Short mmCIF file of all heavy atoms in Angstrom, two decimals:
data_model
loop_
_atom_site.label_atom_id
_atom_site.label_comp_id
_atom_site.label_asym_id
_atom_site.label_seq_id
_atom_site.Cartn_x
_atom_site.Cartn_y
_atom_site.Cartn_z
N MET A 44 -20.66 14.18 26.87
CA MET A 44 -21.19 12.85 27.03
C MET A 44 -21.39 12.56 28.50
O MET A 44 -20.53 12.84 29.32
CB MET A 44 -20.20 11.86 26.41
CG MET A 44 -20.84 10.63 25.91
SD MET A 44 -19.59 9.56 25.19
CE MET A 44 -20.40 9.24 23.69
N THR A 45 -22.49 12.01 28.84
CA THR A 45 -22.76 11.68 30.24
C THR A 45 -22.16 10.33 30.59
O THR A 45 -21.80 9.55 29.71
CB THR A 45 -24.27 11.66 30.51
OG1 THR A 45 -24.86 10.63 29.73
CG2 THR A 45 -24.90 13.00 30.18
N ALA A 46 -22.06 10.03 31.86
CA ALA A 46 -21.44 8.79 32.31
C ALA A 46 -22.25 7.57 31.90
O ALA A 46 -21.69 6.51 31.63
CB ALA A 46 -21.27 8.82 33.82
N GLY A 47 -23.56 7.67 31.79
CA GLY A 47 -24.39 6.52 31.47
C GLY A 47 -24.65 6.35 29.97
O GLY A 47 -25.23 5.36 29.55
N ALA A 48 -24.22 7.30 29.16
CA ALA A 48 -24.48 7.24 27.72
C ALA A 48 -23.55 6.22 27.06
O ALA A 48 -22.38 6.09 27.43
CB ALA A 48 -24.27 8.61 27.09
N PRO A 49 -24.06 5.46 26.09
CA PRO A 49 -23.20 4.49 25.41
C PRO A 49 -22.16 5.20 24.53
O PRO A 49 -22.38 6.30 24.05
CB PRO A 49 -24.18 3.68 24.55
CG PRO A 49 -25.35 4.58 24.36
CD PRO A 49 -25.42 5.44 25.60
N LEU A 50 -21.02 4.54 24.35
CA LEU A 50 -19.96 5.11 23.52
C LEU A 50 -20.30 5.01 22.03
O LEU A 50 -19.90 5.86 21.25
CB LEU A 50 -18.64 4.40 23.79
CG LEU A 50 -18.06 4.58 25.19
CD1 LEU A 50 -16.81 3.75 25.36
CD2 LEU A 50 -17.78 6.06 25.44
N PHE A 51 -21.01 3.97 21.66
CA PHE A 51 -21.45 3.81 20.27
C PHE A 51 -22.74 3.01 20.27
O PHE A 51 -23.09 2.34 21.23
CB PHE A 51 -20.37 3.13 19.41
CG PHE A 51 -19.96 1.77 19.89
CD1 PHE A 51 -20.61 0.64 19.42
CD2 PHE A 51 -18.92 1.61 20.78
CE1 PHE A 51 -20.23 -0.62 19.85
CE2 PHE A 51 -18.54 0.35 21.22
CZ PHE A 51 -19.20 -0.76 20.75
N ARG A 52 -23.46 3.08 19.15
CA ARG A 52 -24.69 2.32 19.04
C ARG A 52 -24.81 1.78 17.61
O ARG A 52 -24.27 2.37 16.67
CB ARG A 52 -25.91 3.15 19.40
CG ARG A 52 -26.18 4.29 18.48
CD ARG A 52 -27.31 5.17 19.02
NE ARG A 52 -27.50 6.30 18.14
CZ ARG A 52 -28.53 6.44 17.32
NH1 ARG A 52 -29.48 5.54 17.28
NH2 ARG A 52 -28.61 7.50 16.55
N VAL A 53 -25.49 0.67 17.46
CA VAL A 53 -25.69 0.05 16.16
C VAL A 53 -26.97 0.63 15.58
O VAL A 53 -28.03 0.58 16.20
CB VAL A 53 -25.79 -1.49 16.29
CG1 VAL A 53 -26.07 -2.12 14.95
CG2 VAL A 53 -24.53 -2.04 16.92
N VAL A 54 -26.87 1.20 14.38
CA VAL A 54 -28.04 1.83 13.77
C VAL A 54 -28.69 0.95 12.70
O VAL A 54 -29.78 1.27 12.24
CB VAL A 54 -27.67 3.20 13.16
CG1 VAL A 54 -27.26 4.17 14.25
CG2 VAL A 54 -26.58 3.07 12.13
N HIS A 55 -28.00 -0.14 12.31
CA HIS A 55 -28.58 -1.02 11.30
C HIS A 55 -28.13 -2.44 11.57
O HIS A 55 -26.97 -2.69 11.88
CB HIS A 55 -28.11 -0.58 9.91
CG HIS A 55 -28.72 -1.37 8.79
ND1 HIS A 55 -30.05 -1.29 8.47
CD2 HIS A 55 -28.19 -2.28 7.94
CE1 HIS A 55 -30.29 -2.11 7.46
NE2 HIS A 55 -29.17 -2.72 7.12
N GLY A 56 -28.99 -3.39 11.47
CA GLY A 56 -28.65 -4.79 11.68
C GLY A 56 -28.86 -5.21 13.12
O GLY A 56 -29.33 -4.44 13.96
N ASN A 57 -28.50 -6.45 13.39
CA ASN A 57 -28.67 -7.01 14.73
C ASN A 57 -27.41 -7.80 15.08
O ASN A 57 -27.38 -9.02 14.92
CB ASN A 57 -29.91 -7.90 14.76
CG ASN A 57 -30.28 -8.29 16.18
OD1 ASN A 57 -29.78 -7.71 17.12
ND2 ASN A 57 -31.15 -9.28 16.31
N PRO A 58 -26.35 -7.13 15.56
CA PRO A 58 -25.10 -7.84 15.85
C PRO A 58 -25.22 -8.71 17.10
O PRO A 58 -26.00 -8.41 18.01
CB PRO A 58 -24.09 -6.72 16.08
CG PRO A 58 -24.91 -5.58 16.57
CD PRO A 58 -26.23 -5.71 15.85
N SER A 59 -24.43 -9.78 17.11
CA SER A 59 -24.41 -10.64 18.30
C SER A 59 -23.55 -9.98 19.38
O SER A 59 -22.89 -8.97 19.15
CB SER A 59 -23.82 -12.01 17.94
OG SER A 59 -22.45 -11.85 17.60
N VAL A 60 -23.57 -10.58 20.55
CA VAL A 60 -22.78 -10.05 21.66
C VAL A 60 -21.28 -10.12 21.33
O VAL A 60 -20.52 -9.20 21.63
CB VAL A 60 -23.10 -10.84 22.96
CG1 VAL A 60 -22.21 -10.41 24.09
CG2 VAL A 60 -24.55 -10.69 23.33
N GLU A 61 -20.87 -11.19 20.66
CA GLU A 61 -19.46 -11.35 20.30
C GLU A 61 -19.02 -10.28 19.29
O GLU A 61 -17.93 -9.74 19.37
CB GLU A 61 -19.20 -12.75 19.72
CG GLU A 61 -19.33 -13.86 20.75
CD GLU A 61 -20.77 -14.31 20.92
OE1 GLU A 61 -21.65 -13.91 20.13
OE2 GLU A 61 -21.03 -15.05 21.89
N GLU A 62 -19.88 -10.00 18.31
CA GLU A 62 -19.55 -8.98 17.32
C GLU A 62 -19.45 -7.59 17.95
O GLU A 62 -18.56 -6.81 17.63
CB GLU A 62 -20.60 -8.97 16.20
CG GLU A 62 -20.57 -10.21 15.34
CD GLU A 62 -21.74 -10.27 14.37
OE1 GLU A 62 -22.80 -9.68 14.66
OE2 GLU A 62 -21.58 -10.93 13.33
N THR A 63 -20.33 -7.30 18.87
CA THR A 63 -20.29 -6.01 19.57
C THR A 63 -19.03 -5.91 20.43
O THR A 63 -18.38 -4.87 20.47
CB THR A 63 -21.54 -5.83 20.43
OG1 THR A 63 -22.70 -6.03 19.63
CG2 THR A 63 -21.59 -4.45 21.05
N ALA A 64 -18.65 -7.00 21.09
CA ALA A 64 -17.45 -7.01 21.91
C ALA A 64 -16.20 -6.84 21.04
O ALA A 64 -15.26 -6.13 21.42
CB ALA A 64 -17.35 -8.30 22.70
N ALA A 65 -16.19 -7.47 19.86
CA ALA A 65 -15.05 -7.31 18.96
C ALA A 65 -14.93 -5.87 18.49
O ALA A 65 -13.83 -5.32 18.41
CB ALA A 65 -15.21 -8.25 17.76
N LEU A 66 -16.04 -5.24 18.19
CA LEU A 66 -16.03 -3.84 17.76
C LEU A 66 -15.53 -2.94 18.89
O LEU A 66 -14.72 -2.03 18.66
CB LEU A 66 -17.42 -3.41 17.32
CG LEU A 66 -17.56 -2.01 16.75
CD1 LEU A 66 -16.69 -1.85 15.51
CD2 LEU A 66 -19.00 -1.71 16.43
N ALA A 67 -15.94 -3.21 20.10
CA ALA A 67 -15.48 -2.43 21.25
C ALA A 67 -13.98 -2.61 21.46
O ALA A 67 -13.27 -1.66 21.80
CB ALA A 67 -16.25 -2.83 22.49
N ALA A 68 -13.48 -3.83 21.26
CA ALA A 68 -12.05 -4.09 21.42
C ALA A 68 -11.24 -3.32 20.37
O ALA A 68 -10.17 -2.79 20.67
CB ALA A 68 -11.76 -5.58 21.32
N VAL A 69 -11.74 -3.24 19.14
CA VAL A 69 -11.05 -2.50 18.09
C VAL A 69 -11.01 -1.01 18.43
O VAL A 69 -9.97 -0.36 18.31
CB VAL A 69 -11.73 -2.72 16.72
CG1 VAL A 69 -11.21 -1.75 15.68
CG2 VAL A 69 -11.54 -4.15 16.26
N PHE A 70 -12.11 -0.48 18.90
CA PHE A 70 -12.15 0.94 19.28
C PHE A 70 -11.20 1.21 20.45
O PHE A 70 -10.50 2.22 20.47
CB PHE A 70 -13.56 1.37 19.65
CG PHE A 70 -14.47 1.55 18.47
CD1 PHE A 70 -15.84 1.42 18.62
CD2 PHE A 70 -13.98 1.87 17.22
CE1 PHE A 70 -16.69 1.60 17.54
CE2 PHE A 70 -14.82 2.05 16.15
CZ PHE A 70 -16.18 1.91 16.30
N ALA A 71 -11.17 0.32 21.44
CA ALA A 71 -10.29 0.51 22.59
C ALA A 71 -8.82 0.47 22.18
O ALA A 71 -8.01 1.26 22.66
CB ALA A 71 -10.58 -0.56 23.64
N ALA A 72 -8.47 -0.44 21.28
CA ALA A 72 -7.09 -0.52 20.82
C ALA A 72 -6.69 0.73 20.04
O ALA A 72 -5.58 1.24 20.16
CB ALA A 72 -6.89 -1.76 19.96
N LYS A 73 -7.61 1.23 19.23
CA LYS A 73 -7.34 2.43 18.45
C LYS A 73 -7.15 3.64 19.36
O LYS A 73 -6.26 4.46 19.15
CB LYS A 73 -8.48 2.67 17.46
CG LYS A 73 -8.30 3.86 16.58
CD LYS A 73 -7.14 3.67 15.64
CE LYS A 73 -7.03 4.86 14.71
NZ LYS A 73 -5.77 4.92 14.04
N LEU A 74 -7.97 3.76 20.38
CA LEU A 74 -7.84 4.87 21.32
C LEU A 74 -6.57 4.76 22.14
O LEU A 74 -5.93 5.76 22.47
CB LEU A 74 -9.06 4.94 22.23
CG LEU A 74 -10.36 5.42 21.57
CD1 LEU A 74 -11.52 5.27 22.55
CD2 LEU A 74 -10.22 6.85 21.12
N ALA A 75 -6.16 3.54 22.49
CA ALA A 75 -4.95 3.35 23.29
C ALA A 75 -3.70 3.69 22.49
O ALA A 75 -2.71 4.15 23.04
CB ALA A 75 -4.87 1.92 23.80
N ALA A 76 -3.75 3.47 21.18
CA ALA A 76 -2.59 3.75 20.33
C ALA A 76 -2.34 5.25 20.23
O ALA A 76 -1.19 5.69 20.13
CB ALA A 76 -2.79 3.15 18.94
N GLY A 77 -3.37 6.05 20.25
CA GLY A 77 -3.21 7.50 20.18
C GLY A 77 -2.80 7.94 18.78
O GLY A 77 -2.79 7.17 17.82
N ASP A 78 -2.43 9.21 18.69
CA ASP A 78 -2.00 9.76 17.40
C ASP A 78 -0.48 9.70 17.31
O ASP A 78 0.22 10.57 17.82
CB ASP A 78 -2.47 11.21 17.26
CG ASP A 78 -3.97 11.32 17.11
OD1 ASP A 78 -4.57 10.34 16.65
OD2 ASP A 78 -4.52 12.36 17.47
N GLN A 79 0.02 8.65 16.70
CA GLN A 79 1.45 8.50 16.53
C GLN A 79 1.79 8.79 15.07
O GLN A 79 1.20 8.21 14.17
CB GLN A 79 1.89 7.09 16.89
CG GLN A 79 1.62 6.74 18.33
CD GLN A 79 1.94 5.29 18.63
OE1 GLN A 79 2.24 4.52 17.73
NE2 GLN A 79 1.87 4.92 19.88
N PRO A 80 2.75 9.67 14.83
CA PRO A 80 3.13 9.96 13.45
C PRO A 80 3.80 8.74 12.82
O PRO A 80 4.46 7.95 13.51
CB PRO A 80 4.12 11.12 13.57
CG PRO A 80 4.64 11.03 14.97
CD PRO A 80 3.53 10.44 15.79
N ALA A 81 3.59 8.58 11.55
CA ALA A 81 4.19 7.45 10.84
C ALA A 81 5.70 7.66 10.75
O ALA A 81 6.18 8.75 10.47
CB ALA A 81 3.59 7.33 9.45
N ARG A 82 6.44 6.58 11.01
CA ARG A 82 7.89 6.66 10.91
C ARG A 82 8.31 6.56 9.46
O ARG A 82 7.87 5.68 8.74
CB ARG A 82 8.53 5.51 11.68
CG ARG A 82 8.44 5.66 13.17
CD ARG A 82 9.16 4.56 13.90
NE ARG A 82 10.24 3.97 13.14
CZ ARG A 82 10.77 2.79 13.38
NH1 ARG A 82 10.33 2.08 14.37
NH2 ARG A 82 11.75 2.32 12.65
N PRO A 83 9.20 7.44 9.03
CA PRO A 83 9.67 7.31 7.66
C PRO A 83 10.56 6.08 7.54
O PRO A 83 11.28 5.73 8.48
CB PRO A 83 10.47 8.60 7.44
CG PRO A 83 10.88 9.03 8.81
CD PRO A 83 9.77 8.58 9.72
N GLY A 84 10.48 5.43 6.41
CA GLY A 84 11.30 4.25 6.18
C GLY A 84 12.76 4.63 5.97
O GLY A 84 13.09 5.77 5.68
N ALA A 85 13.61 3.67 6.14
CA ALA A 85 15.03 3.92 5.92
C ALA A 85 15.28 4.16 4.44
O ALA A 85 14.69 3.52 3.57
CB ALA A 85 15.84 2.72 6.40
N ALA A 86 16.13 5.11 4.15
CA ALA A 86 16.45 5.41 2.75
C ALA A 86 17.25 4.27 2.16
O ALA A 86 18.09 3.66 2.82
CB ALA A 86 17.24 6.71 2.67
N GLY A 87 16.98 3.96 0.94
CA GLY A 87 17.69 2.89 0.26
C GLY A 87 19.07 3.34 -0.20
O GLY A 87 19.51 4.47 0.06
N ARG A 88 19.75 2.45 -0.87
CA ARG A 88 21.09 2.79 -1.36
C ARG A 88 21.06 3.89 -2.40
O ARG A 88 22.06 4.56 -2.61
CB ARG A 88 21.74 1.55 -1.95
CG ARG A 88 22.16 0.57 -0.88
CD ARG A 88 23.14 -0.41 -1.39
NE ARG A 88 24.16 0.29 -2.13
CZ ARG A 88 25.22 -0.28 -2.65
NH1 ARG A 88 25.40 -1.55 -2.51
NH2 ARG A 88 26.11 0.42 -3.33
N TRP A 89 19.95 4.09 -3.06
CA TRP A 89 19.88 5.13 -4.08
C TRP A 89 20.08 6.52 -3.48
O TRP A 89 20.49 7.45 -4.16
CB TRP A 89 18.55 5.07 -4.83
CG TRP A 89 17.38 5.35 -3.94
CD1 TRP A 89 16.64 4.46 -3.24
CD2 TRP A 89 16.83 6.63 -3.64
NE1 TRP A 89 15.66 5.09 -2.52
CE2 TRP A 89 15.75 6.43 -2.75
CE3 TRP A 89 17.13 7.93 -4.03
CZ2 TRP A 89 14.99 7.48 -2.25
CZ3 TRP A 89 16.36 8.96 -3.53
CH2 TRP A 89 15.31 8.73 -2.66
N ALA A 90 19.81 6.68 -2.19
CA ALA A 90 19.95 7.98 -1.53
C ALA A 90 21.34 8.18 -0.94
O ALA A 90 21.62 9.24 -0.39
CB ALA A 90 18.90 8.12 -0.44
N ASP A 91 22.20 7.19 -1.03
CA ASP A 91 23.54 7.28 -0.47
C ASP A 91 24.38 8.25 -1.31
O ASP A 91 24.60 8.03 -2.50
CB ASP A 91 24.19 5.90 -0.44
CG ASP A 91 25.52 5.88 0.28
OD1 ASP A 91 25.86 6.90 0.94
OD2 ASP A 91 26.21 4.85 0.21
N ARG A 92 24.85 9.31 -0.68
CA ARG A 92 25.62 10.32 -1.42
C ARG A 92 26.99 9.80 -1.83
O ARG A 92 27.61 10.34 -2.74
CB ARG A 92 25.75 11.58 -0.57
CG ARG A 92 24.44 12.28 -0.38
CD ARG A 92 24.60 13.54 0.42
NE ARG A 92 25.51 14.48 -0.19
CZ ARG A 92 25.15 15.52 -0.93
NH1 ARG A 92 23.87 15.74 -1.13
NH2 ARG A 92 26.04 16.32 -1.45
N ALA A 93 27.48 8.77 -1.19
CA ALA A 93 28.79 8.23 -1.55
C ALA A 93 28.77 7.61 -2.94
O ALA A 93 29.81 7.50 -3.59
CB ALA A 93 29.23 7.20 -0.52
N ARG A 94 27.61 7.22 -3.42
CA ARG A 94 27.53 6.63 -4.75
C ARG A 94 27.81 7.65 -5.85
O ARG A 94 28.15 7.30 -6.96
CB ARG A 94 26.15 6.02 -4.98
CG ARG A 94 25.91 4.80 -4.12
CD ARG A 94 24.61 4.14 -4.44
NE ARG A 94 24.67 3.57 -5.79
CZ ARG A 94 23.66 3.54 -6.63
NH1 ARG A 94 22.50 4.04 -6.28
NH2 ARG A 94 23.78 2.99 -7.81
N SER A 95 27.64 8.94 -5.52
CA SER A 95 27.86 9.96 -6.54
C SER A 95 29.34 10.23 -6.77
O SER A 95 29.72 10.86 -7.77
CB SER A 95 27.15 11.26 -6.16
OG SER A 95 27.72 11.79 -4.98
N VAL A 96 30.21 9.77 -5.86
CA VAL A 96 31.65 9.94 -6.03
C VAL A 96 32.13 8.77 -6.88
O VAL A 96 32.03 7.62 -6.47
CB VAL A 96 32.36 9.96 -4.66
CG1 VAL A 96 33.86 10.11 -4.83
CG2 VAL A 96 31.79 11.06 -3.80
N ARG A 97 32.65 9.07 -8.03
CA ARG A 97 33.05 7.97 -8.90
C ARG A 97 34.51 7.59 -8.67
O ARG A 97 35.31 8.37 -8.16
CB ARG A 97 32.81 8.32 -10.35
CG ARG A 97 33.76 9.30 -10.92
CD ARG A 97 33.52 9.47 -12.40
NE ARG A 97 34.61 10.29 -12.92
CZ ARG A 97 34.68 10.75 -14.12
NH1 ARG A 97 33.71 10.50 -14.96
NH2 ARG A 97 35.69 11.46 -14.51
N ALA A 98 34.85 6.39 -9.07
CA ALA A 98 36.21 5.89 -8.94
C ALA A 98 37.10 6.58 -9.97
O ALA A 98 36.63 7.05 -11.01
CB ALA A 98 36.21 4.38 -9.16
N PRO A 99 38.38 6.64 -9.68
CA PRO A 99 39.29 7.26 -10.65
C PRO A 99 39.30 6.47 -11.95
O PRO A 99 39.10 5.25 -11.97
CB PRO A 99 40.64 7.24 -9.96
CG PRO A 99 40.51 6.32 -8.80
CD PRO A 99 39.06 6.20 -8.49
N LEU A 100 39.53 7.17 -13.02
CA LEU A 100 39.56 6.52 -14.33
C LEU A 100 40.82 5.68 -14.49
O LEU A 100 41.91 6.06 -14.04
CB LEU A 100 39.51 7.59 -15.43
CG LEU A 100 38.24 8.44 -15.45
CD1 LEU A 100 38.38 9.53 -16.50
CD2 LEU A 100 37.04 7.58 -15.74
N THR A 101 40.66 4.53 -15.10
CA THR A 101 41.78 3.65 -15.35
C THR A 101 42.39 4.00 -16.70
O THR A 101 41.67 4.13 -17.69
CB THR A 101 41.31 2.18 -15.36
OG1 THR A 101 40.59 1.93 -14.16
CG2 THR A 101 42.47 1.24 -15.47
N ARG A 102 43.69 4.14 -16.74
CA ARG A 102 44.38 4.47 -17.99
C ARG A 102 45.13 3.25 -18.49
O ARG A 102 45.47 2.35 -17.74
CB ARG A 102 45.34 5.62 -17.77
CG ARG A 102 44.64 6.88 -17.38
CD ARG A 102 45.60 8.01 -17.27
NE ARG A 102 44.87 9.20 -16.84
CZ ARG A 102 45.43 10.34 -16.57
NH1 ARG A 102 46.72 10.47 -16.67
NH2 ARG A 102 44.69 11.36 -16.20
N GLY A 103 45.36 3.24 -19.76
CA GLY A 103 46.17 2.18 -20.34
C GLY A 103 45.40 1.41 -21.39
O GLY A 103 44.23 1.68 -21.68
N PRO A 104 46.09 0.42 -21.97
CA PRO A 104 45.44 -0.39 -22.99
C PRO A 104 44.27 -1.18 -22.39
O PRO A 104 44.35 -1.66 -21.26
CB PRO A 104 46.54 -1.33 -23.48
CG PRO A 104 47.70 -1.15 -22.58
CD PRO A 104 47.46 0.03 -21.73
N ASP A 105 43.21 -1.29 -23.13
CA ASP A 105 41.99 -2.00 -22.72
C ASP A 105 41.33 -1.39 -21.48
O ASP A 105 40.60 -2.06 -20.75
CB ASP A 105 42.26 -3.49 -22.47
CG ASP A 105 42.63 -4.23 -23.73
OD1 ASP A 105 42.17 -3.81 -24.81
OD2 ASP A 105 43.38 -5.23 -23.64
N ALA A 106 41.57 -0.13 -21.22
CA ALA A 106 40.94 0.54 -20.08
C ALA A 106 39.44 0.63 -20.26
O ALA A 106 38.69 0.62 -19.28
CB ALA A 106 41.54 1.93 -19.89
N TRP A 107 38.98 0.71 -21.48
CA TRP A 107 37.55 0.80 -21.73
C TRP A 107 36.84 -0.46 -21.27
O TRP A 107 35.70 -0.42 -20.85
CB TRP A 107 37.28 1.10 -23.20
CG TRP A 107 37.75 0.00 -24.13
CD1 TRP A 107 38.97 -0.14 -24.68
CD2 TRP A 107 36.96 -1.10 -24.59
NE1 TRP A 107 39.02 -1.26 -25.44
CE2 TRP A 107 37.79 -1.87 -25.43
CE3 TRP A 107 35.66 -1.50 -24.38
CZ2 TRP A 107 37.36 -3.02 -26.05
CZ3 TRP A 107 35.21 -2.66 -25.01
CH2 TRP A 107 36.07 -3.41 -25.83
N ARG A 108 37.51 -1.62 -21.34
CA ARG A 108 36.88 -2.84 -20.86
C ARG A 108 36.79 -2.86 -19.33
O ARG A 108 35.78 -3.28 -18.76
CB ARG A 108 37.69 -4.06 -21.30
CG ARG A 108 37.53 -4.40 -22.73
CD ARG A 108 38.18 -5.71 -23.05
NE ARG A 108 38.18 -5.86 -24.48
CZ ARG A 108 39.14 -6.44 -25.17
NH1 ARG A 108 40.19 -6.94 -24.55
NH2 ARG A 108 39.07 -6.55 -26.47
N ALA A 109 37.82 -2.39 -18.68
CA ALA A 109 37.81 -2.37 -17.22
C ALA A 109 36.81 -1.36 -16.67
O ALA A 109 36.34 -1.49 -15.56
CB ALA A 109 39.22 -2.03 -16.70
N SER A 110 36.46 -0.36 -17.47
CA SER A 110 35.55 0.67 -16.98
C SER A 110 34.15 0.13 -16.77
O SER A 110 33.38 0.67 -15.98
CB SER A 110 35.51 1.85 -17.93
OG SER A 110 34.92 1.47 -19.17
N GLY A 111 33.78 -0.93 -17.47
CA GLY A 111 32.44 -1.49 -17.34
C GLY A 111 32.32 -2.56 -16.30
O GLY A 111 31.24 -3.05 -16.00
N GLN A 112 33.43 -2.96 -15.70
CA GLN A 112 33.42 -4.04 -14.72
C GLN A 112 33.14 -3.49 -13.31
O GLN A 112 33.65 -2.44 -12.95
CB GLN A 112 34.79 -4.75 -14.70
CG GLN A 112 35.17 -5.36 -16.03
CD GLN A 112 34.23 -6.47 -16.43
OE1 GLN A 112 33.78 -7.22 -15.59
NE2 GLN A 112 33.92 -6.54 -17.71
N PRO A 113 32.33 -4.20 -12.55
CA PRO A 113 32.09 -3.75 -11.17
C PRO A 113 33.35 -3.90 -10.32
O PRO A 113 34.18 -4.77 -10.57
CB PRO A 113 30.99 -4.68 -10.67
CG PRO A 113 31.05 -5.87 -11.56
CD PRO A 113 31.61 -5.42 -12.87
N ARG A 114 33.47 -3.05 -9.36
CA ARG A 114 34.66 -3.10 -8.49
C ARG A 114 34.32 -3.64 -7.15
O ARG A 114 33.35 -3.48 -6.59
CB ARG A 114 35.24 -1.70 -8.36
CG ARG A 114 35.71 -1.21 -9.70
CD ARG A 114 36.28 0.17 -9.56
NE ARG A 114 36.50 0.71 -10.89
CZ ARG A 114 37.68 0.83 -11.44
NH1 ARG A 114 38.74 0.47 -10.79
NH2 ARG A 114 37.80 1.31 -12.64
#
C-alpha cells in the first residue's frame, strides 16, 4: 500500500462525513486492540473436585432422613 492510498473505500451508497468518520473510528479501535485471545471464564461450582468427596454416612435410627438434609 502506498502512503497516499486510502485505507478503505465505499463501493455502494453515499455515506455522510460523520458515517465515514464513525467507520474509521471502529477500524482504528479494532486495529488498536490487536489479536487478544479470549479469556476462559471461571469454572463454576460444578467443576470443584471437593464436591466429589462425600460426607461420612450417619448411622443410627432415622439416619435415612438425615441423609437427605443439606449440611
Side-chain angles (χ1 to χ4, degrees):
M44 208 179 230
T45 63
L50 294 176
F51 59 91
R52 65 187 177 107
V53 177
V54 295
H55 183 69
N57 191 13
S59 66
V60 174
E61 291 84 11
E62 292 172 334
T63 307
L66 184 61
V69 169
F70 285 154
K73 182 66 177 165
L74 288 173
D78 292 334
Q79 298 175 353
R82 287 184 26 199
R88 287 198 47 176
W89 64 269
D91 187 10
R92 292 182 59 98
R94 291 185 67 216
S95 65
V96 179
R97 74 174 188 187
L100 297 175
T101 307
R102 296 184 182 175
D105 294 330
W107 63 273
R108 285 189 190 145
S110 67
Q112 300 296 323
R114 296 180 190 254

